[in-house]
Each structure stands twice: as structure tokens, then as C-alpha cells.
């Protein structure tokens, strides 16, 4: 059962979550609005990032990504230690 769950996790991680982008003739205000929207979404995802300026937000995001990677590495190590023998 664990192997099936692991396979599903790997498949899920390989999925691409990108939306198709339409080409609009102008890249002015519409593109700027899109960036602002994405920054606001990122602020909601990262704890304590609400109201941060974009430069600080990106630094906080990078720290958050590193923290998540560390947690994954720790969990993988623990699963090797306490997991079933192969």
C-alpha cells in the first residue's frame, strides 16, 4: 500500500500546474495587473508575508522553500530509519 501511495505522490509531483497564456497585443497594464495579482497570491501563501514589498516577499519565499526542502529531507530520513525493511 505504501508503494502505491509513493507512486501517486511521484506522479502528482510531476504534474504541471501551468495555465495556458493567451497572447494579447499589448503587454502594458494588463501584464502589470497580472503581476500584482500573482504577488498578492504569493503573499497569501507565505506565512507572515502579507503587506511585504515584492523584494522582501521573494526573499521570504526563498527561505520558505528552503525550509520545506529541509522538512522533506528530514521526513525522508526518518522514513528510511523507521520504515519497513526492503
Amino acid at each position: 500500500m505504501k508503494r502505491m501511495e509513493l507512486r501517486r505522490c511521484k506522479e502528482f509531483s510531476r504534474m504541471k500546474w501551468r495555465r495556458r497564456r493567451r497572447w494579447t497585443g499589448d503587454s502594458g497594464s494588463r501584464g502589470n495587473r497580472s503581476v500584482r495579482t500573482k504577488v498578492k497570491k504569493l503573499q497569501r501563501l507565505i506565512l507572515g508575508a502579507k503587506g511585504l514589498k515584492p523584494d522582501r516577499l521573494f526573499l521570504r519565499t526563498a527561505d520558505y522553500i528552503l525550509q520545506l526542502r529541509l522538512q522533506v529531507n528530514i521526513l525522508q530520513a526518518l522514513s528510511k530509519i523507521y520504515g519497513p525493511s526492503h
Side-chain angles (χ1 to χ4, degrees):
M1 180 136 179
K2 285 187 178 186
R3 287 183 185 258
M4 183 177 271
E5 289 175 12
L6 182 61
R7 191 177 332 134
R8 278 192 222 154
C9 288
K10 285 182 180 180
E11 289 172 5
F12 184 76
S13 67
R14 289 181 186 147
M15 293 173 101
K16 293 186 180 180
W17 293 94
R18 296 182 184 186
R19 290 185 226 158
R20 292 183 183 172
R21 296 178 188 215
R22 294 184 192 169
W23 171 254
T24 59
D26 61 341
S27 60
S29 65
R30 186 174 188 161
N32 196 14
R33 189 173 354 143
S34 174
V35 170
R36 274 188 262 131
T37 303
K38 290 175 183 178
V39 166
K40 285 182 183 181
K41 285 182 182 179
L42 187 58
Q43 285 174 334
R44 282 181 278 181
L45 282 173
I46 307 300
L47 294 175
K50 197 168 188 174
L52 286 179
K53 292 184 179 180
D55 57 341
R56 287 286 182 196
L57 175 63
F58 297 141
L59 289 173
R60 177 80 52 97
T61 304
D63 288 341
Y64 187 64
I65 291 169
L66 291 175
Q67 179 186 5
L68 290 174
R69 279 189 187 165
L70 179 62
Q71 287 178 2
V72 167
N73 291 340
I74 290 171
L75 290 172
Q76 285 175 339
L78 288 173
S79 70
K80 285 180 183 177
I81 293 170
Y82 296 109
S85 300
H86 294 248

